[in-house]
Amino acid sequence: MKIEKEQILSDNKKDIGVHEESFDFLANSLDRKGVDVHKVIKDLSDFQVAIPSWALGAGGTRFGRFSYYGEPANLEQKINDVGILHALTQTAGAISLHIPWDIPEDYKAIKELATANGLVFDAVNSNTFQDQKNAKESYKFGSLSNTSKAVRDQAIAHNNEVIKIGEKLGSKSLTVWLADGSNFPGQHNFQRALQHTQDSLQEIYATLPEDWKLFIEYKPYEPNFYSTVIQDWGTSFMLANACGEKAYTLVDLGHHLPNTNIEQIVSTLMMQGKLGGFHFNDSKYGDDDSTVGSVKPYALFLIFNELVYGMNNNPQNPYPAWMIDASHNIKDPLEDLIQSLEAIQEAYAKALLVDQEQLKLAQEKHDVVLCQEILQQAYRTDVRPLLERARLNVGGALHPIKAYRSLGVRGNLIQARGKHSIATGL
Ligand code: LRH
Ligand code: MN
């Protein structure tokens, strides 16, 4: 199913009037505050988030999986589904593949299909947390950190294979997340496990194409529940430095122990020029991979406030990679991803409204109350008319979820694919 611009245009008609009223009201009040509204809208339109190829079907937990029917059964259908998200939101202009869940058969056809849907290929993800059929070595006791050189070599070879696949697709980065760790005290020698991991990552880094980046993703626990080799930002940062200037830390919002100050981690990594990118999601307890902004929207705003400051003050840090990493247990995966895209745009727009000059003055005067007032003034602003205008300007839907439903997308997908197609991934 492909959504044509005309379908969106006619679907927008009934809401244009209300949009223009709320937009004009907001734009005038922001203008009076000296905000460059057109720059904010341009920044929003330019902000493209990569959709994970592994999150287009119904996710699940060990306790059960409830399909949503009409799931994409192959990479072509996954690219079409991301194309639908991009047509409606105009902010989902990239797809991030996970190998071997999504190995293309016909690279030329896949690239043409992506281009036809307005998509590029973002980071490719390796997978050394599952054993592949007929694999010679097992990752049961780890991959890049394994005590067995044969296992480490197999994992290194897999990452090199993933880079080759990414090169054929035009991707420019590799994300490495390791499940490696231990479930019981005494099971691991922490230092040897970390040294093996560093040596292995350096071997992978040595084969990284000149214009590529290596993203090292950290996580405190799961699937190992006593220790994880790359457990926190500090370990990832250390490994990125040990690899070289093309290696960076990737921040998955769900990979932090409760109440961790993630915005401070983001500011430190940007100051060090080592923030590679994000896996956006939300969580109440663990790595819940819930809809972005559905549990802690203010925390997301505070992270974007540090990002906006960093993007204006840290030329040493490259433009970060924006990706979603979520899993959908009870929602329509595409509606869930649309809500996540909206929440990311909303947090970014609110952060762009923070009066950084006034905040700096208040901070220097230790006017703590005014500091909070300046931040919350921006956070309390209903920025949705700006998001709507940013989409409208480039042919997107004013209200993507409403359009998704009024265009009967899920019904069409079920008709085309039936009730039993299962998407690879989480
Ligand atoms: C690990 C993770 C990682 C992916 C996987 C699908 O929890 O966040 O980014 O490889 O999810
Ligand atoms: Mn992740």
Side-chain angles (χ1 to χ4, degrees):
M1 176 184 185
K2 202 161 179 342
I3 298 181
E4 304 304 336
K5 281 217 183 296
E6 297 66 43
Q7 290 177 281
I8 295 175
L9 224 57
S10 65
D11 193 75
N12 281 341
K13 278 210 179 63
K14 55 188 178 306
D15 299 311
I16 283 289
V18 175
H19 162 70
E20 273 158 0
E21 244 174 65
S22 55
F23 176 79
D24 294 346
F25 173 80
L26 176 60
N28 293 337
S29 72
L30 291 176
D31 205 38
R32 279 195 299 278
K33 293 193 184 92
V35 173
D36 178 345
V37 173
H38 293 294
K39 181 172 179 320
V40 171
I41 290 172
K42 173 120 181 27
D43 288 343
L44 290 172
S45 301
D46 294 347
F47 193 92
Q48 296 296 318
V49 177
I51 304 296
S53 62
W54 60 91
L56 292 164
T61 71
R62 58 187 165 159
F63 302 105
R65 184 182 190 282
F66 307 94
S67 178
Y68 215 85
Y69 307 146
E71 294 186 29
N74 55 46
L75 184 52
E76 288 74 11
Q77 292 180 353
K78 288 186 175 189
I79 290 174
N80 280 327
D81 286 7
V82 179
I84 290 169
L85 292 176
H86 192 46
L88 293 170
T89 66
Q90 292 297 318
T91 61
I95 181 169
S96 179
L97 300 190
H98 217 298
I99 307 297
W101 292 335
D102 305 297
I103 298 181
E105 273 143 32
D106 177 339
Y107 283 87
K108 187 168 171 300
I110 283 292
K111 285 176 79 175
E112 282 163 5
L113 182 62
T115 307
N117 283 278
L119 307 177
V120 296
F121 290 94
D122 204 304
V124 281
N125 299 262
S126 60
N127 177 342
T128 58
F129 50 86
Q130 294 169 329
D131 286 344
Q132 304 312 316
K133 265 202 309 312
N134 324 326
K136 196 161 166 310
E137 308 292 342
S138 169
Y139 297 134
K140 179 175 180 181
F141 296 108
S143 61
L144 300 183
S145 72
N146 201 296
T147 53
S148 150
K149 181 157 185 356
V151 175
R152 299 198 301 273
D153 289 346
Q154 177 180 287
I156 292 166
H158 165 69
N159 278 279
N160 296 339
E161 182 52 35
V162 173
I163 291 171
K164 290 195 180 53
I165 290 171
E167 281 188 287
K168 285 190 254 179
L169 292 169
S171 174
K172 293 294 183 193
S173 51
L174 166 70
T175 296
V176 174
W177 167 68
L178 301 182
D180 293 32
S182 65
N183 270 320
F184 304 96
Q187 176 187 343
H188 254 197
N189 173 291
F190 295 139
Q191 294 194 20
R192 280 201 296 275
L194 186 55
Q195 191 59 55
H196 285 323
T197 302
Q198 180 168 310
D199 300 344
S200 303
L201 284 171
Q202 287 172 324
E203 276 194 54
I204 295 167
Y205 185 85
T207 69
L208 204 66
E210 201 37 48
D211 60 351
W212 271 53
K213 294 189 180 88
L214 171 63
F215 298 145
I216 302 173
E217 184 176 0
Y218 57 90
K219 184 175 182 178
Y221 71 94
E222 190 208 34
N224 280 293
F225 296 103
Y226 170 64
S227 74
T228 296
V229 178
I230 310 181
Q231 60 163 324
D232 60 11
W233 75 271
T235 308
S236 166
F237 176 66
M238 189 191 63
L239 290 167
N241 282 321
C243 285
E245 64 187 17
K246 294 184 291 182
Y248 299 87
T249 291
L250 186 139
V251 177
D252 183 312
L253 299 186
H255 293 185
H256 300 88
L257 299 176
N259 308 324
T260 298
N261 187 327
I262 303 175
E263 56 270 26
Q264 187 180 10
I265 294 172
V266 168
S267 72
T268 302
L269 288 169
M270 291 196 93
M271 194 173 93
Q272 298 296 321
K274 279 295 185 187
L275 176 71
F278 282 85
H279 278 181
F280 291 115
N281 47 54
D282 207 339
S283 51
K284 178 78 175 153
Y285 303 103
D287 187 19
D288 310 350
D289 280 342
S290 300
T291 318
V292 181
S294 62
V295 179
K296 307 188 290 288
Y298 191 59
L300 184 67
F301 161 73
L302 294 174
I303 289 168
F304 269 92
N305 179 49
E306 295 305 329
L307 284 168
V308 168
Y309 179 85
M311 288 194 276
N312 294 339
N313 296 279
N314 305 134
Q316 69 273 31
N317 199 92
Y319 185 75
W322 316 114
M323 295 169 276
I324 290 174
D325 182 0
S327 175
H328 327 285
N329 300 338
I330 56 172
K331 286 182 180 178
D332 177 325
L334 298 183
E335 291 191 339
D336 196 336
L337 288 162
I338 290 171
Q339 289 183 312
S340 283
L341 290 163
E342 183 86 357
I344 292 167
Q345 285 262 313
E346 199 170 348
Y348 183 36
K350 289 175 186 238
L352 288 169
L353 298 184
V354 173
D355 187 331
Q356 297 286 346
E357 282 320 302
Q358 287 308 311
L359 182 59
K360 186 162 179 259
L361 294 172
Q363 287 165 339
E364 278 157 7
K365 281 187 303 177
H366 306 306
D367 185 339
V368 181
V369 169
L370 184 56
C371 291
Q372 183 176 322
E373 287 304 309
I374 291 168
L375 269 189
Q376 296 199 335
Q377 163 73 32
Y379 182 71
R380 291 178 180 135
T381 305
D382 180 356
V383 294
R384 290 175 293 176
L386 298 176
L387 278 58
E388 293 164 7
R389 183 55 58 98
R391 288 192 289 267
L392 203 59
N393 288 354
V394 288
L398 276 172
H399 304 293
I401 292 272
K402 227 165 114 192
Y404 176 88
R405 292 185 172 193
S406 59
L407 293 169
V409 176
R410 180 54 56 185
N412 277 289
L413 293 175
I414 293 172
Q415 207 162 20
R417 299 169 183 173
K419 290 189 170 186
H420 307 295
S421 54
I422 300 261
T424 54
L426 285 184

